[in-house]
Amino acid sequence: MNTPIVDGPEAVPVLRGLIAGSRRIAIFTGAGISTESGIPDFRSPGGIWTKNQPIVFQDFLASEEMRREAWRRKMAIDETFSSAKPNRGHRAVAELVRSGRAGSVITQNIDGLHQASGAPADRVIELHGNGTYAVCLDCHRLHELAPIFEDFKRSGIPPVCTVCEGIVKTATISFGQSMPEEPMRRARDETLACDLFLTLGSSLSVFPAASFPAIAKENGATLIIINREPTPLDAAADLVLHTGIGDALGEAVGVE
Ligand code: NAD
Ligand code: ZN
């Protein structure tokens, strides 16, 4: 296949055929798979970036005021995250993983919705961590969010570890922070083991995460991209759907 099919009525049947004919699928997801659950992405119009520039890790470490701002933002957005439910796209992904068609889902998301939709937790590879809990940057102990929010609301002081007084941060990977080694290694293994790589809802602009689709393609896998807007890899892909994920993938996989 040389010419990618971009949209059109024939795209979903082609997608279904490629999925059915594959030996092993790797799935790669970005913020776009969760917009249908009501969680805004970064780069769409009205996305998180149009409101707030991200706080880089070094600034978070260096300044208590930045940590205060980071926790203010986290509290403001947490209601949206904690009330979000998986959508049809998550359910289709979970079906592919559960049935064994896909080894794992590699995700840039921090919302926990793949696990909530029934994908086994040990087969969700989180490249950018998880925003549903916090971690001490010194002793690595995990902390629940609810008591942190309560203290922060009362005192306005950003949290420190109850064990070692280290700085506490949501368990997500910020810009400037090093990538987690084990998820990166597992994501690479999945990428190299697949013959079909499915990219869902990522602008493919955050590196190194965004390098996996290109690695898969170079390794000989068929590359499929479903994303509302064009991505830098569209021209290299075998099939591109500029459409919403839930209905297209749900129809192709046969999941409501
Ligand atoms: P991004 O915001 O850069 O890109 C999302 C892409 O998805 C956009 O190109 C958009 O056109 C597309 N999209 C949005 N809704 C869609 C839909 N319903 N169907 C098809 N396409 C749709 O996201 P990214 O590439 O994941 O990079 C953003 C970074 O921000 C990630 O690293 C992630 O860690 C973080 N983030 C996570 C969440 C989350 O956990 N839900 C939300 C915002 C940001
Ligand atoms: Zn600690």
Side-chain angles (χ1 to χ4, degrees):
M1 265 193 304
N2 296 317
T3 320
I5 299 168
V6 180
D7 266 338
E10 71 274 43
V12 169
V14 172
L15 175 62
R16 189 183 299 126
L18 288 172
I19 288 173
S22 67
R23 179 179 47 77
R24 185 183 170 114
I25 306 170
I27 304 173
F28 177 81
T29 65
I33 197 172
S34 294
T35 58
E36 292 171 40
S37 295
I39 298 179
D41 63 10
F42 266 7
R43 291 171 184 78
S44 288
I48 294 169
W49 265 20
T50 57
K51 301 187 185 98
N52 281 321
Q53 283 296 308
I55 295 171
V56 301
F57 187 57
Q58 287 69 20
D59 293 341
F60 181 89
L61 285 183
S63 147
E64 179 168 316
E65 186 43 41
M66 279 296 182
R67 293 197 285 281
R68 190 171 291 122
E69 175 61 15
W71 281 101
R72 253 187 235 126
R73 288 184 191 179
K74 175 64 185 166
M75 277 186 54
I77 204 164
D78 200 65
E79 216 167 294
T80 307
F81 271 75
S82 56
S83 61
K85 301 273 180 300
N87 65 57
R88 195 179 182 190
H90 293 109
R91 288 193 288 278
V93 168
E95 172 57 26
L96 289 172
V97 175
R98 264 199 314 251
S99 66
R101 314 288 328 255
S104 290
V105 50
I106 304 165
T107 188
Q108 302 175 84
N109 294 344
I110 56 165
D111 54 30
L113 289 180
H114 286 303
Q115 294 91 325
S117 67
D122 62 352
R123 290 166 68 191
V124 180
I125 302 173
E126 294 177 318
L127 295 177
H128 294 160
N130 189 306
T132 64
Y133 52 89
V135 65
C136 169
L137 296 176
D138 287 343
C139 75
H140 307 295
R141 187 195 173 94
L142 303 183
H143 293 268
E144 280 181 41
L145 292 180
I148 291 178
F149 288 169
E150 226 171 90
D151 283 354
F152 184 62
K153 238 185 270 172
R154 201 174 35 234
S155 69
I157 300 169
V160 293
C161 180
T162 45
V163 179
C164 78
E165 300 197 343
I167 291 177
V168 171
K169 181 180 176 293
T170 54
T172 53
I173 305 295
S174 299
F175 286 100
Q177 195 168 3
S178 53
M179 294 293 285
E181 271 171 37
E182 206 219 334
M184 283 298 281
R185 183 186 51 72
R186 288 178 63 205
R188 201 180 155 78
D189 289 349
E190 285 294 331
T191 299
L192 293 176
C194 78
D195 65 346
L196 179 68
F197 193 98
L198 194 51
T199 295
L200 306 172
S202 173
S203 63
L204 299 180
S205 53
V206 180
F207 286 87
S211 60
F212 290 114
I215 293 172
K217 181 67 193 162
E218 278 156 28
N219 192 47
T222 299
L223 176 62
I224 301 177
I225 296 175
I226 309 181
N227 205 65
R228 267 192 208 138
E229 290 165 296
T231 80
L233 270 189
D234 284 6
D238 299 285
L239 177 68
V240 180
L241 281 79
H242 287 160
T243 183
I245 294 159
D247 287 345
L249 191 66
E251 238 179 88
V253 177
V255 160
E256 284 310 311

